[in-house]
């Protein structure tokens, strides 16, 4: 049976590679969301990819998402891959910097999950939250990333909470804390640093994890890192 896979934060970087890889299998219907994805629809010729603009920081997020998902009877896999990073000393962070980080990295994800979970309850599924090594307890920390890393840390905890709250259903929740991957976000966090991992390589890991590992793992926060940072 055809599986429906949603990737949020799919316009570039790791998310775009996730869509490429998930879409390789014709039995997958891939729904790709990001703020600015429709203008640059690189999957226009793909029969099994749909793209939609969705802003995790919008006040109409839940109504927008509910309306978009009306076109899809079910969701089997959800990868919450969107992320927003500000690199600034703590004392220089504006209220807007903090709000936007928390809105994209945790509050919008919570609101989106309130729409997705009811769609997954009947047939079960796997929710994979993409967090960061900076949000992993006990990891090396880097100055300038306080609002990014602390908002991503909330996502790691939310994963454990939801696995508990929905343990009697067939939905599994896991969180991957990524190490450095060569993307625009990494260049913002660590200018000039060269990561040992390409977006395609990390996407290969995430695709395999999403499709296969829910059978054995639930409510886990897993570091996925070759380097520091
Ligand atoms: N690269 C790394 O080294 C690294 C390390 C640890 C964790 N991560 C995590 O891995 C994930 C992917 O990172 P990346 O490096 O590929 O980042 P990226 O290239 O900056 O891509 C981020 C994605 O998030 C989307 N996004 C941002 N704000 C959004 C909003 N308000 N609503 C909806 N979508 C939004 C962006 O789309 P638009 O621009 O269209 O909004 C884009 O598709 C992120 O969660 C990041 O925190 C990355």
């Amino acid at each position: 049976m055809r599986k429906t896979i949603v990737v949020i934060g799919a316009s570039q970087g790791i998310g775009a590679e996730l869509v490429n890889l998930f879409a390789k299998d014709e039995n997958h219907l891939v729904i790709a969301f990001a703020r600015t994805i429709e203008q640059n629809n690189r999957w226009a010729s793909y029969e099994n990819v749909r793209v939609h603009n969705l802003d995790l920081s919008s006040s109409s997020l839940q109504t927008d998402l509910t309306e978009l998902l009306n076109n899809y009877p079910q969701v089997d896999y959800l990868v919450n891959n969107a992320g927003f990073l500000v690199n600034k000393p703590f004392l220089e962070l504006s209220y807007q910097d903090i709000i936007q980080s928390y809105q994209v990295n945790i509050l919008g994800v919570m609101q989106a999950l309130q729409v997705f979970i009811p769609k997954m309850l009947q047939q079960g599924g796997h929710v994979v939250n993409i967090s960061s090594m900076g949000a992993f307890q006990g990891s090396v920390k880097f100055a300038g990333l306080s609002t990014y890393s602390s908002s991503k840390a909330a996502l790691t905890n939310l994963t454990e909470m939801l696995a508990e709250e929905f343990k009697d259903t067939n939905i599994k929740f896991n969180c991957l804390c990524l190490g450095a991957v060569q993307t625009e976000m990494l260049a913002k966090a660590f200018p000039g640093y060269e990561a040992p991992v390409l977006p395609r390589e990390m996407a290969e890991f995430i695709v395999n994890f999403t499709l296969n590992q829910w059978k054995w793992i639930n409510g886990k926060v897993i570091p996925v890192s070759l380097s520091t940072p």
Side-chain angles (χ1 to χ4, degrees):
M1 203 175 104
R2 200 170 219 206
K3 296 290 185 190
T4 302
I5 302 166
V6 173
V7 179
I8 303 185
S11 62
Q12 60 177 44
I14 298 164
E17 294 294 355
L18 288 173
V19 175
N20 290 336
L21 291 173
F22 280 128
K24 273 187 163 183
D25 185 335
E26 286 168 8
N27 287 318
H28 294 159
L29 174 64
V30 186
I31 310 172
F33 288 115
R35 245 178 338 179
T36 58
I37 201 162
E38 281 174 354
Q39 298 93 300
N40 255 324
N41 181 5
R42 65 181 85 180
W43 300 284
S45 63
Y46 284 53
E47 180 276 325
N48 63 339
V49 177
R50 309 278 182 278
V51 309
H52 301 289
N53 288 335
L54 183 79
D55 185 349
L56 286 171
S57 64
S58 163
S59 58
S60 60
L61 172 63
Q62 287 195 326
T63 35
D64 295 347
L65 191 52
T66 303
E67 204 170 295
L68 287 168
L69 290 179
N70 276 339
N71 301 316
Y72 306 100
Q74 69 181 64
V75 171
D76 299 285
Y77 301 98
L78 166 63
V79 185
N80 283 313
N81 173 74
F84 178 79
L85 182 141
V86 177
N87 183 357
K88 262 191 203 175
F90 181 69
L91 296 180
E92 291 172 22
L93 286 170
S94 67
Y95 184 63
Q96 190 50 36
D97 291 332
I98 297 169
I99 287 295
Q100 186 67 7
S101 304
Y102 273 74
Q103 197 65 53
V104 177
N105 295 337
I106 181 65
L107 299 178
V109 179
M110 292 176 86
Q111 288 183 294
L113 281 167
Q114 287 182 324
V115 178
F116 278 109
I117 289 172
K119 271 208 108 82
M120 300 174 85
L121 277 175
Q122 202 180 345
Q123 81 287 353
H126 190 192
V127 175
V128 178
N129 294 325
I130 303 299
S131 184
S132 164
M133 277 308 292
F136 190 76
Q137 193 180 12
S139 67
V140 174
K141 300 295 187 283
F142 295 92
L145 302 182
S146 57
T147 193
Y148 169 73
S149 294
S150 61
S151 55
K152 283 287 187 181
L155 183 61
T156 66
N157 185 272
L158 178 72
T159 309
E160 295 175 306
M161 296 307 300
L162 294 182
E164 174 60 27
E165 192 158 332
F166 291 94
K167 68 184 176 194
D168 295 329
T169 76
N170 283 321
I171 308 179
K172 305 289 194 334
F173 297 84
N174 288 297
C175 181
L176 301 176
C177 289
L178 308 189
V181 181
Q182 199 60 50
T183 65
E184 280 184 28
M185 182 182 287
L186 182 87
K188 239 167 131 187
F190 302 102
Y193 178 78
E194 215 168 289
V197 178
L198 297 173
R200 176 82 170 196
E201 295 170 320
M202 184 55 86
E204 280 167 3
F205 177 88
I206 296 170
V207 165
N208 180 23
F209 182 84
T210 303
L211 296 177
N212 300 314
Q213 302 305 313
W214 57 267
K215 293 166 200 155
W216 300 282
I217 301 173
N218 188 30
K220 298 297 181 287
V221 176
I222 301 165
V224 185
S225 176
L226 279 178
S227 60
T228 306

Coordinates of all heavy atoms in Angstrom, one line a residue, residues 8-16 18 33-37 53-58 61 80-85 100 103-105 129-134 148 152 155 176-190 195 197 199 202 206 229, ligand 1:
I8 N 8.7 18.5 6.6 CA 8.5 19.9 6.9 C 9.9 20.5 6.9 O 10.8 20.0 7.6 CB 7.8 20.2 8.2 CG1 6.4 19.5 8.2 CG2 7.6 21.7 8.4 CD1 5.6 19.8 9.4
G9 N 10.1 21.6 6.2 CA 11.5 22.2 6.0 C 12.2 21.5 4.9 O 13.3 21.0 5.0
A10 N 11.5 21.5 3.7 CA 12.0 20.7 2.6 C 12.5 21.5 1.4 O 12.9 21.0 0.4 CB 10.8 19.9 2.0
S11 N 12.7 22.8 1.6 CA 13.0 23.7 0.4 C 14.5 23.6 0.1 O 14.9 23.9 -1.0 CB 12.6 25.1 0.7 OG 13.3 25.6 1.8
Q12 N 15.4 23.2 1.1 CA 16.8 23.3 0.8 C 17.5 22.3 1.8 O 16.9 21.7 2.6 CB 17.4 24.7 0.9 CG 17.2 25.3 2.3 CD 17.8 26.7 2.5 OE1 17.7 27.5 1.6 NE2 18.5 26.9 3.6
G13 N 18.8 22.3 1.7 CA 19.6 21.5 2.7 C 19.2 20.1 2.8 O 18.9 19.4 1.8
I14 N 19.2 19.6 4.0 CA 18.9 18.2 4.3 C 17.5 17.9 3.9 O 17.2 16.8 3.4 CB 19.1 17.9 5.9 CG1 20.5 18.2 6.3 CG2 18.7 16.5 6.2 CD1 20.8 18.3 7.8
G15 N 16.5 18.8 4.1 CA 15.1 18.5 3.8 C 14.9 18.3 2.3 O 14.1 17.4 2.0
A16 N 15.6 19.0 1.5 CA 15.4 18.8 0.0 C 15.9 17.4 -0.4 O 15.3 16.7 -1.2 CB 16.1 19.9 -0.8
L18 N 16.0 14.9 1.6 CA 15.0 13.9 2.1 C 13.9 13.6 1.1 O 13.5 12.5 0.8 CB 14.4 14.4 3.4 CG 15.3 14.4 4.7 CD1 14.6 15.1 5.8 CD2 15.7 13.0 5.1
F33 N 6.8 20.4 2.7 CA 6.4 21.7 3.1 C 7.6 22.6 3.5 O 8.6 22.1 4.0 CB 5.6 21.6 4.5 CG 4.3 21.0 4.4 CD1 4.0 19.8 5.0 CD2 3.2 21.7 3.7 CE1 2.7 19.2 4.9 CE2 2.0 21.1 3.7 CZ 1.7 19.9 4.3
A34 N 7.5 23.9 3.2 CA 8.4 24.9 3.7 C 7.8 26.3 3.5 O 6.8 26.3 2.8 CB 9.8 24.8 3.1
R35 N 8.4 27.3 4.0 CA 7.9 28.6 3.9 C 7.8 29.1 2.4 O 6.9 29.7 2.0 CB 8.8 29.6 4.6 CG 8.1 30.3 5.8 CD 9.2 31.2 6.4 NE 10.5 30.8 6.1 CZ 11.6 31.4 6.5 NH1 11.5 32.5 7.3 NH2 12.8 31.0 6.2
T36 N 8.9 28.7 1.7 CA 9.1 29.3 0.4 C 9.2 28.3 -0.7 O 9.9 28.5 -1.7 CB 10.3 30.2 0.4 OG1 11.4 29.3 0.7 CG2 10.3 31.3 1.3
I37 N 8.5 27.2 -0.6 CA 8.8 26.1 -1.5 C 8.2 26.1 -2.9 O 8.7 25.6 -3.8 CB 8.5 24.7 -0.8 CG1 9.3 23.6 -1.4 CG2 7.0 24.5 -0.7 CD1 9.4 22.4 -0.5
N53 N 3.5 25.6 0.4 CA 4.0 26.6 1.3 C 3.4 26.4 2.7 O 2.1 26.3 2.8 CB 3.7 28.0 0.9 CG 4.6 28.4 -0.4 OD1 5.6 27.8 -0.6 ND2 4.1 29.3 -1.2
L54 N 4.2 26.4 3.7 CA 3.7 26.4 5.1 C 4.7 27.1 6.0 O 5.8 26.7 6.0 CB 3.6 24.9 5.6 CG 3.0 24.7 6.9 CD1 1.4 24.8 6.9 CD2 3.3 23.3 7.5
D55 N 4.2 28.1 6.7 CA 5.0 28.8 7.6 C 4.8 28.4 9.1 O 3.7 28.7 9.6 CB 4.8 30.3 7.4 CG 5.7 31.2 8.2 OD1 6.5 30.7 9.1 OD2 5.8 32.4 8.0
L56 N 5.8 27.8 9.7 CA 5.6 27.4 11.1 C 5.4 28.5 12.1 O 5.1 28.3 13.2 CB 6.8 26.5 11.5 CG 6.9 25.1 10.9 CD1 8.2 24.5 11.2 CD2 5.7 24.2 11.4
S57 N 5.7 29.7 11.6 CA 5.6 30.9 12.5 C 4.3 31.7 12.2 O 4.1 32.7 12.8 CB 6.8 31.8 12.4 OG 6.9 32.3 11.2
S58 N 3.5 31.1 11.4 CA 2.2 31.9 11.1 C 1.2 31.7 12.1 O 1.0 30.6 12.7 CB 1.7 31.4 9.7 OG 0.4 31.8 9.5
L61 N -1.3 28.9 11.3 CA -0.6 27.6 10.9 C -1.6 26.4 11.0 O -1.7 25.6 10.1 CB 0.6 27.3 11.9 CG 1.2 26.0 11.8 CD1 1.8 25.7 10.5 CD2 2.3 25.8 12.9
N80 N 9.9 16.2 11.0 CA 9.9 17.6 11.4 C 11.4 18.1 11.3 O 12.2 18.1 12.2 CB 9.4 17.8 12.8 CG 7.9 17.7 12.9 OD1 7.2 18.3 12.1 ND2 7.4 16.9 13.9
N81 N 11.7 18.6 10.1 CA 13.1 18.9 9.7 C 13.4 20.4 9.7 O 14.5 20.8 9.6 CB 13.4 18.3 8.4 CG 14.8 18.7 7.9 OD1 15.8 18.3 8.3 ND2 14.8 19.6 6.9
A82 N 12.3 21.2 9.8 CA 12.5 22.7 9.7 C 13.4 23.2 10.8 O 13.3 22.6 11.9 CB 11.2 23.4 9.6
G83 N 14.1 24.2 10.6 CA 14.9 24.8 11.7 C 15.2 26.2 11.4 O 15.3 26.6 10.2
F84 N 15.4 27.0 12.4 CA 15.7 28.4 12.3 C 16.9 28.7 13.3 O 16.8 28.4 14.5 CB 14.5 29.3 12.6 CG 14.8 30.8 12.5 CD1 14.9 31.4 11.3 CD2 15.1 31.5 13.7 CE1 15.2 32.8 11.2 CE2 15.4 32.9 13.6 CZ 15.4 33.5 12.3
L85 N 18.0 29.3 12.8 CA 19.1 29.5 13.6 C 19.5 31.0 13.6 O 19.7 31.6 12.6 CB 20.3 28.7 13.1 CG 21.6 28.7 13.9 CD1 22.3 27.4 14.0 CD2 22.6 29.7 13.3
Q100 N 11.2 34.0 17.0 CA 11.2 33.3 15.7 C 11.9 31.9 15.9 O 11.4 30.9 15.4 CB 11.9 34.1 14.6 CG 11.9 33.5 13.3 CD 10.5 33.5 12.6 OE1 9.6 34.0 13.1 NE2 10.4 32.8 11.5
Q103 N 9.4 29.8 17.8 CA 8.2 29.5 16.9 C 8.5 28.4 15.9 O 7.7 27.5 15.8 CB 7.9 30.8 16.2 CG 6.5 30.8 15.6 CD 5.4 30.8 16.7 OE1 5.4 31.6 17.6 NE2 4.5 29.8 16.6
V104 N 9.7 28.5 15.2 CA 10.0 27.5 14.2 C 10.4 26.2 14.8 O 10.0 25.1 14.4 CB 11.0 28.0 13.2 CG1 11.4 26.9 12.2 CG2 10.6 29.3 12.5
N105 N 11.3 26.3 15.8 CA 11.9 25.0 16.3 C 11.1 24.2 17.3 O 11.4 23.0 17.5 CB 13.3 25.4 17.0 CG 14.2 26.0 16.0 OD1 14.1 25.7 14.8 ND2 15.2 26.8 16.4
N129 N 11.6 13.8 14.8 CA 12.0 15.2 15.1 C 13.5 15.4 14.9 O 14.3 14.7 15.4 CB 11.5 15.6 16.5 CG 10.0 15.6 16.7 OD1 9.3 15.9 15.7 ND2 9.6 15.2 17.8
I130 N 13.8 16.5 14.1 CA 15.2 16.7 13.8 C 15.7 17.8 14.7 O 15.3 19.0 14.6 CB 15.4 17.1 12.3 CG1 14.9 16.0 11.4 CG2 16.9 17.4 12.1 CD1 15.6 14.6 11.6
S131 N 16.6 17.4 15.7 CA 17.2 18.4 16.6 C 18.7 18.5 16.3 O 19.1 18.1 15.2 CB 16.8 18.0 18.0 OG 17.3 18.9 18.9
S132 N 19.4 18.9 17.3 CA 20.8 19.2 17.1 C 21.7 18.7 18.2 O 21.2 18.6 19.4 CB 20.9 20.7 17.0 OG 22.3 21.1 17.2
M133 N 22.9 18.4 17.9 CA 23.9 18.0 19.0 C 23.9 19.0 20.1 O 24.1 18.7 21.3 CB 25.3 17.7 18.4 CG 25.4 16.4 17.8 SD 25.0 15.0 18.9 CE 26.2 15.1 20.2
G134 N 23.8 20.3 19.7 CA 23.8 21.4 20.7 C 22.7 21.3 21.7 O 22.7 21.9 22.8
Y148 N 18.9 29.1 19.6 CA 18.7 28.0 18.7 C 18.8 26.7 19.5 O 17.8 25.9 19.5 CB 19.8 28.0 17.7 CG 19.9 26.7 16.8 CD1 18.9 26.4 15.9 CD2 20.9 25.8 17.0 CE1 19.0 25.3 15.1 CE2 21.0 24.7 16.3 CZ 20.0 24.4 15.3 OH 20.1 23.2 14.6
K152 N 15.8 23.9 20.4 CA 15.9 22.5 19.9 C 15.9 21.5 21.0 O 15.4 20.4 20.9 CB 17.1 22.4 19.0 CG 17.1 23.0 17.6 CD 16.2 22.1 16.7 CE 16.2 22.6 15.3 NZ 15.3 21.8 14.4
L155 N 12.5 20.5 21.8 CA 12.0 19.5 20.8 C 12.5 18.1 21.3 O 11.7 17.1 21.1 CB 12.5 19.8 19.4 CG 12.1 18.9 18.3 CD1 10.6 19.0 18.1 CD2 12.8 19.4 17.0
L176 N 16.3 12.8 16.4 CA 17.7 12.7 16.0 C 18.4 14.0 16.2 O 18.0 15.1 15.7 CB 17.8 12.4 14.5 CG 17.1 11.1 14.1 CD1 17.1 10.9 12.5 CD2 17.7 9.9 14.8
C177 N 19.5 14.0 17.0 CA 20.3 15.2 17.3 C 21.5 15.2 16.3 O 22.4 14.4 16.5 CB 20.8 15.2 18.7 SG 19.4 15.5 19.9
L178 N 21.4 16.0 15.3 CA 22.4 16.0 14.2 C 23.7 16.7 14.6 O 23.6 17.8 15.2 CB 21.9 16.6 12.9 CG 20.5 16.0 12.4 CD1 20.3 16.6 11.0 CD2 20.4 14.5 12.4
G179 N 24.8 16.2 14.1 CA 26.1 16.9 14.2 C 26.2 17.7 12.9 O 25.2 17.8 12.1
A180 N 27.4 18.2 12.6 CA 27.6 19.2 11.5 C 27.3 18.5 10.2 O 27.9 17.5 9.9 CB 29.0 19.7 11.6
V181 N 26.5 19.2 9.3 CA 26.2 18.8 8.0 C 26.4 20.1 7.1 O 26.0 21.2 7.5 CB 24.8 18.3 7.8 CG1 24.5 17.9 6.4 CG2 24.5 17.2 8.8
Q182 N 27.1 19.9 5.9 CA 27.4 21.1 5.1 C 26.2 21.7 4.5 O 25.8 21.4 3.4 CB 28.5 20.7 4.1 CG 29.2 21.9 3.5 CD 30.0 22.6 4.5 OE1 30.7 22.0 5.3 NE2 29.9 23.9 4.6
T183 N 25.6 22.7 5.2 CA 24.4 23.4 4.6 C 24.5 24.9 4.9 O 25.4 25.3 5.6 CB 23.1 22.9 5.3 OG1 23.1 23.3 6.7 CG2 22.9 21.4 5.1
E184 N 23.5 25.7 4.4 CA 23.5 27.1 4.7 C 23.4 27.4 6.2 O 24.0 28.3 6.7 CB 22.3 27.7 4.0 CG 22.6 28.0 2.5 CD 21.4 28.7 1.9 OE1 20.7 29.5 2.5 OE2 21.2 28.5 0.6
M185 N 22.7 26.5 6.9 CA 22.5 26.8 8.3 C 23.9 26.6 9.0 O 24.2 27.4 9.9 CB 21.5 25.8 8.9 CG 21.3 26.0 10.4 SD 20.1 24.9 11.2 CE 18.6 25.5 10.5
L186 N 24.6 25.6 8.6 CA 25.9 25.3 9.3 C 26.8 26.5 9.0 O 27.6 27.0 9.9 CB 26.6 24.1 8.7 CG 27.9 23.8 9.4 CD1 27.7 22.9 10.6 CD2 28.9 23.1 8.5
A187 N 26.8 27.1 7.8 CA 27.7 28.2 7.5 C 27.3 29.4 8.4 O 28.2 30.2 8.7 CB 27.5 28.6 6.0
K188 N 26.0 29.5 8.8 CA 25.6 30.6 9.7 C 26.2 30.4 11.1 O 26.6 31.3 11.8 CB 24.1 30.6 9.7 CG 23.5 31.9 9.3 CD 22.0 31.7 9.1 CE 21.1 32.7 9.8 NZ 19.7 32.4 9.8
A189 N 26.1 29.1 11.5 CA 26.5 28.8 12.9 C 28.0 28.8 13.0 O 28.6 29.2 14.0 CB 25.9 27.4 13.2
F190 N 28.7 28.2 12.0 CA 30.2 28.0 12.1 C 30.8 28.5 10.8 O 31.2 27.7 10.0 CB 30.5 26.6 12.4 CG 29.9 26.0 13.6 CD1 28.8 25.2 13.6 CD2 30.4 26.4 14.9 CE1 28.2 24.7 14.7 CE2 29.8 25.9 16.1 CZ 28.7 25.1 16.0
A195 N 32.1 20.8 7.2 CA 31.6 19.6 7.9 C 32.0 18.3 7.1 O 32.1 18.3 5.9 CB 30.1 19.7 7.9
V197 N 30.2 15.8 6.7 CA 29.0 15.1 6.2 C 28.2 16.0 5.2 O 28.0 17.2 5.5 CB 28.0 14.7 7.4 CG1 26.8 14.0 6.8 CG2 28.8 13.8 8.3
P199 N 24.7 17.0 2.9 CA 23.2 16.8 3.2 C 22.7 15.5 2.7 O 21.8 14.9 3.3 CB 22.6 18.0 2.4 CG 23.7 19.0 2.3 CD 25.0 18.2 2.3
M202 N 23.5 12.7 5.2 CA 22.7 12.7 6.4 C 21.2 12.3 6.0 O 20.6 11.6 6.8 CB 22.7 14.1 7.0 CG 21.9 14.2 8.3 SD 22.5 13.0 9.6 CE 23.9 13.8 10.3
I206 N 18.6 9.5 7.7 CA 17.3 9.9 8.2 C 16.2 9.1 7.5 O 15.2 8.6 8.2 CB 17.1 11.4 8.1 CG1 18.1 12.2 8.9 CG2 15.6 11.8 8.5 CD1 18.1 13.7 8.7
P229 N 32.3 20.7 16.1 CA 30.8 20.7 16.1 C 30.3 19.8 15.0 O 31.0 19.4 14.1 CB 30.5 22.2 15.7 CG 31.7 22.7 14.9 CD 32.9 22.0 15.6
Ligands
LIG1 N1 23.3 21.5 9.0 C1 23.7 21.2 10.2 O1 24.9 21.1 10.5 C2 22.7 20.8 11.3 C3 23.2 20.4 12.6 C4 22.3 20.1 13.5 C5 20.9 20.1 13.3 N2 20.5 20.5 12.1 C6 19.0 20.6 11.9 O2 18.7 19.9 10.6 C7 17.5 20.5 10.1 C8 17.8 20.8 8.6 O3 18.9 21.8 8.6 P1 19.6 22.3 7.3 O4 21.1 22.5 7.7 O5 19.3 21.6 6.1 O6 19.0 23.8 7.3 P2 18.6 24.8 6.2 O7 19.4 24.5 4.9 O8 18.7 26.2 6.8 O9 17.0 24.4 5.9 C9 16.1 24.7 6.9 C10 14.7 24.4 6.3 O10 13.8 24.8 7.3 C11 12.8 25.6 6.6 N3 12.2 26.6 7.5 C12 12.8 27.6 8.1 N4 11.9 28.4 8.7 C13 10.7 27.9 8.4 C14 9.3 28.3 8.8 N5 9.0 29.4 9.5 N6 8.3 27.5 8.3 C15 8.6 26.4 7.6 N7 9.8 26.0 7.2 C16 10.8 26.7 7.7 C17 13.5 26.2 5.5 O11 12.6 26.6 4.4 P3 12.3 28.1 4.0 O12 13.6 28.8 3.9 O13 11.6 28.0 2.7 O14 11.5 28.7 5.1 C18 14.4 25.1 5.0 O15 13.7 24.2 4.1 C19 17.2 21.7 10.9 O16 16.2 21.3 11.8 C20 18.5 22.0 11.7 O17 18.2 22.6 12.9 C21 21.3 20.9 11.1

